[in-house]
Amino acid sequence: MATTKDYLDYVLERLPEPEAARCRKMFGEYMVYVNAKPLLIVCDNTVMVKKVPELADLMKDAPDGVPYEGAKVHYILDIENRELVRGVIAVLEPITPLPKKRAKKKDA
């Protein structure tokens, strides 16, 4: 089951600063960027975040899952819990690097 446009819009609305968020289609699903940093994965109408040590306490009761085949296990984020979402973003944003710019391909 793929993520629906309605669910993706709902996820963006639930973020503390929706105006600072954008999404991009990746691996057949979506990556959500907050302030240009890739923080959330949305797959099969489920929001997931990377398992990093800094989130261990905050996400200790969260279920986990694999967003797509070949990926590492991620935490499943309860997008309904605004306080949790705010806390996860506050932890992830400072430790997540900006994506590197890709070099443009030269014409052959």
Side-chain angles (χ1 to χ4, degrees), residues 2 34 41 44 50 57 60 67 73 83 97-98:
V34 177
I41 296 174
D44 296 328
K50 188 174 182 179
D57 287 340
K60 68 180 180 277
V73 176
E83 185 177 324
L98 289 167

Side-chain angles (χ1 to χ4, degrees), residues 24 35 65 77-78 89 96-97 101:
R24 183 173 176 198
N35 294 319
L77 180 61
D78 178 5
I89 290 173
T96 303
K101 301 266 186 204

Side-chain angles (χ1 to χ4, degrees), residues 53-54 70 100:
E54 293 86 349
K100 294 180 181 177

Side-chain angles (χ1 to χ4, degrees), residues 42-61:
V42 183
C43 295
D44 296 328
N45 285 349
T46 303
V47 181
M48 298 184 179
V49 293
K50 188 174 182 179
K51 278 194 167 190
V52 293
E54 293 86 349
L55 286 177
D57 287 340
L58 192 58
M59 299 294 287
K60 68 180 180 277
D61 296 327

Side-chain angles (χ1 to χ4, degrees), residues 88-107:
V88 166
I89 290 173
V91 169
L92 286 179
E93 192 175 357
I95 64 170
T96 303
L98 289 167
K100 294 180 181 177
K101 301 266 186 204
R102 290 185 177 185
K104 291 186 178 183
K105 293 181 181 179
K106 294 183 180 182
D107 291 333

